[in-house]
Amino acid sequence: MIDKWKLATGKVICCDIGKTGSGFFIGDRGLFITNNHVVARMDIDGAGAIRLDYSKQIFIQIAENTHRASLVIDENSDRPVVYDYAILRLNVTPKVYFDVADLSEVSQGKEVIAVGYPLDFGEPIISKGIVSAIVSRPSHINALHRIRTFLTDTLITYGNSGGPLIGASDGKVIGITTMPHEIRDEARERLLGYVNLPGMEVMRPIRDLIEFVLRYLTVGFNYAISIEYAMDDPLFGSLEGGM
Amino acid sequence: MPVFMRGNYIFVEPGHKCFEVSSNFTNYLELGIQGITKYYIEAIIENDEFKISGTLLDKSGEILCRLKDNFIEASKGYNKEMTPYGYRVKGKDGNLVFEIQVENDLICHLKGMIYGESGEIIAQDREGEFIILKGPAIIGKSGNAIGIKLD
């Protein structure tokens, strides 16, 4: 089972925008799901508007093979951005792929597994945990919208973004691993304030140290966005088959 | 006197504050009537999420944008922008025409002018307030309760 999960999960490499992450096959038609923030560079302009730049050079590395991928989503649609998903197409017929779980049956305490390519690992890493809570939270991209997310204690860190969160017993996908739960307290706000102090530019090592600590200092809870948003994309079409 | 009552009606003198509607009551806003007026906007709260749908017009009575569950489709000649807290619609000149912005997940602000078919102002934001100048409008509808209805 684990070998199949690993072959259905790939490392996403966006050469032109310098981003990497994880992703996975859904169905047998070569459709591949990842996070939107893995395949797009997002900036906020001087007027406070979100500007997106989608990668034009997306490659998926699975085991020994590397495949070129193209975006299936509508690049002008806000939906994939808000719900942080992207659908890619690979010109291969996947030998193994994931099925989608019946989300109405997912409950708090369910044992889950995250598969992905965190940090600088060159092969898929698997970690196990439970669904710690099912929460509706403001979108981390646009807080006007809320997203159904699975909070999990499964180990997820940088590079896991876009990978599948699957049921430990049946291997069916319930979510897209997206981001760690950041500590938001007074101490963190103070540290963030120090980073932006005038003159901190000349104290680069201290600033880098603060940024490094803030990046990896998490409590161990992570968020996976419900797979329902990608499945409901108008361009996704119908899914057939399974692992 | 900004407000007086006669029969079962409350009459409000324009330009004066008369009563404050509590925040847990303003969970529903409807301006215009879908299918009847050319413009309409419906802002509700569903599962703790603000959901805004409608059709808004510009000053000349043409369609400015359509909203469906917060997602905005701007008409030709207008630009839509996404922000970390909502959306903006801007004119070709870059001036803000309409904005939806959520604040601390608790308050949803509507900014700009809402026009009727003849270019009349239906509602507008002014110094942080949202003023409804013309009905039909409903505020605070919940279940079988109609809420405050402005004809």
Side-chain angles (χ1 to χ4, degrees), chain B residues 73-132:
Chain B
E73 185 191 325
S75 296
K76 202 174 175 184
Y78 294 97
N79 295 316
K80 174 202 62 187
E81 289 180 349
M82 190 196 293
T83 72
Y85 307 101
Y87 295 92
R88 294 177 189 146
V89 179
K90 287 183 170 178
K92 263 186 182 170
D93 52 7
N95 287 334
L96 182 71
V97 183
F98 180 71
E99 181 172 13
I100 307 172
Q101 189 182 53
V102 71
E103 181 186 333
N104 298 327
D105 310 334
L106 299 171
I107 303 171
C108 187
H109 297 278
L110 301 179
K111 295 181 180 177
M113 303 270 198
I114 293 179
Y115 293 101
E117 197 169 349
S118 308
E120 74 276 26
I121 297 171
I122 303 295
Q124 68 178 111
D125 79 292
R126 194 188 296 160
E127 296 168 2
E129 296 176 331
F130 188 73
I131 300 166
I132 300 169

Side-chain angles (χ1 to χ4, degrees), chain A:
Chain A
M1 195 84 145
I2 288 177
D3 285 341
K4 286 184 178 178
W5 294 344
K6 286 162 71 174
L7 283 173
T9 308
K11 180 173 183 142
V12 182
I13 303 160
C14 301
C15 296
D16 50 348
I17 59 171
K19 289 190 142 200
T20 59
S22 305
F24 55 95
F25 279 116
I26 284 278
D28 61 356
R29 296 185 300 154
L31 294 177
F32 192 87
I33 308 280
T34 186
N35 276 136
N36 194 284
H37 76 254
V38 170
V39 294
R41 185 168 45 210
M42 193 183 87
D43 294 306
I44 296 177
D45 68 16
I50 294 172
R51 302 288 177 203
L52 279 178
D53 182 18
Y54 278 101
S55 173
K56 301 286 182 269
Q57 294 177 3
I58 308 171
F59 294 92
I60 310 297
Q61 184 186 313
I62 300 170
E64 311 275 297
N65 303 310
T66 301
H67 308 277
R68 186 88 189 230
S70 54
L71 276 173
V72 174
I73 53 169
D74 178 0
E75 291 187 32
N76 295 314
S77 170
D78 292 325
R79 200 176 180 281
V81 183
V82 166
Y83 298 130
D84 204 353
Y85 68 84
I87 305 167
L88 310 176
R89 183 183 291 284
L90 278 68
N91 288 326
V92 290
T93 303
K95 291 174 187 161
V96 286
Y97 48 86
F98 290 106
D99 269 338
V100 177
D102 179 352
L103 296 174
S104 66
E105 292 181 358
V106 178
S107 57
Q108 195 172 26
K110 180 182 175 70
E111 287 194 336
V112 287
I113 284 173
V115 192
Y117 288 76
L119 305 173
D120 57 351
F121 289 106
E123 62 178 283
I125 301 298
I126 286 172
S127 60
K128 189 178 177 187
I130 59 168
V131 172
S132 307
I134 302 172
V135 293
S136 166
R137 65 193 304 270
S139 163
H140 50 290
I141 307 292
N142 182 345
L144 178 63
H145 299 265
R146 294 185 83 88
I147 310 185
R148 187 171 184 243
T149 49
F150 300 105
L151 184 70
T152 175
D153 61 348
T154 311
L155 182 61
I156 294 169
T157 187
Y158 293 90
N160 271 106
S161 283
L165 186 71
I166 59 179
S169 58
D170 58 12
K172 291 184 176 178
V173 177
I174 67 167
I176 308 170
T177 56
T178 301
M179 61 189 173
H181 175 80
E182 288 183 342
I183 302 166
R184 291 198 179 273
D185 65 3
E186 202 179 316
R188 184 186 183 92
E189 293 305 315
R190 275 209 306 274
L191 278 171
L192 275 170
Y194 295 148
V195 171
N196 297 318
L197 277 178
M200 190 51 103
E201 188 56 40
V202 295
M203 300 168 74
R204 191 79 189 235
I206 295 174
R207 197 185 72 172
D208 289 350
L209 178 65
I210 293 173
E211 286 183 340
F212 182 83
V213 169
L214 290 178
R215 188 172 193 195
Y216 291 101
L217 188 67
T218 59
V219 289
F221 287 115
N222 300 285
Y223 291 103
I225 290 172
S226 172
I227 191 69
E228 69 196 72
Y229 300 105
M231 297 296 99
D232 289 344
D233 188 281
L235 297 177
F236 196 87
S238 60
L239 289 169
E240 292 173 352
M243 188 181 284

